[in-house]
Amino acid sequence: MTVTPGNIVAAAFFMQFSIFAMIAITMAILPSRTRGASVLRDDEFTGVGSPRVFWIVFALFLSTFFFLLVSDAFTLIWGPMYGMMKSSMMTWSTSLLIVFILDYVLIGALCWQTGSSRSPFVSLIVSLPALSIFLREPAPRVIAYTIISCTLIALFVMFLSKASGRDADARWRLAQVVMAACTLLFATWIGLITRPI
């Protein structure tokens, strides 16, 4: 069975819907403002109760679906009904690139708003390179997404978390970054060498 660009864009639609459903469920569970403390860190305040956060999520939700909808592969389905030509739309590959960039912006903003390294949305950052492999993105893009994911995790854990000033805290956070990056690199490597060509 051959995978066509239309199949890939349809799968991307489903994946985007799944990502936003997971975000919506998690946002519904999170309290609007919470106070947390740990052995290694001082008290921190997190939350997503701001209407601004909901509007950001909604705007990016619509944007990602828009870019998938106007890709040349998907226009083949609905374009003839509206007299639109395939060549007048952006390529499906460009559309996927924009969608991944918007996903990183959204997930990064959500992590920043909900406790950086303690955010429940950090796991989504790690899943994006695997999703790109599933959607048959070229290897250079998969590698770029992996680098972006590692950078965001390092940023949230090392620089945006409230540090206690203790050496144990710095080493703990460095261990978190190294383990997350190694796991992500390992999973991406396995995915790249085992995916069908």
Side-chain angles (χ1 to χ4, degrees), residues 3 6 9-10 12 22 37 51 59 67 80 83 88 94 114 116 118 126 130 132 143-144 147 155 160-161 165 177 181:
V3 176
V9 172
M22 290 185 290
F67 284 111
S88 66
T94 303
T114 58
S116 295
R118 297 185 308 117
V126 178
S132 69
I143 293 167
I147 291 169
L155 178 71
L160 295 180
S161 294
V177 170

Side-chain angles (χ1 to χ4, degrees), residues 30-110:
L30 285 174
S32 58
R33 189 165 172 87
T34 184
R35 180 178 183 163
S38 72
V39 175
L40 298 174
R41 293 183 185 87
D42 297 331
D43 291 347
E44 292 180 0
F45 290 91
T46 61
V48 291
S50 159
R52 179 186 67 214
V53 174
F54 290 104
W55 283 111
I56 289 170
V57 171
F58 185 66
L60 288 171
F61 172 78
L62 291 180
S63 298
T64 57
F65 280 104
F66 170 78
F67 284 111
L68 290 173
L69 188 64
V70 298
S71 69
D72 58 357
F74 211 69
T75 307
L76 291 174
I77 297 170
W78 62 267
M81 295 296 293
Y82 297 97
M84 301 191 79
M85 304 300 295
K86 176 183 172 183
S87 61
S88 66
M89 297 292 141
M90 73 173 56
T91 66
W92 64 272
S93 181
T94 303
S95 174
L96 280 180
L97 176 64
I98 293 170
V99 167
F100 273 99
I101 291 169
L102 289 173
D103 282 343
Y104 275 114
V105 169
L106 170 64
I107 297 166
L110 285 174

Side-chain angles (χ1 to χ4, degrees), residues 97 129 132-133 136-148 188 192 195:
L97 176 64
S132 69
I133 293 170
R136 309 292 202 275
E137 285 281 86
R141 282 194 192 172
V142 173
I143 293 167
Y145 300 147
T146 304
I147 291 169
I148 292 169
T188 303
L192 284 174
R195 76 174 174 177

Side-chain angles (χ1 to χ4, degrees), residues 113-132:
Q113 289 286 315
T114 58
S116 295
S117 63
R118 297 185 308 117
S119 172
F121 301 107
V122 169
S123 57
L124 277 175
I125 293 172
V126 178
S127 70
L128 289 177
L131 177 59
S132 69

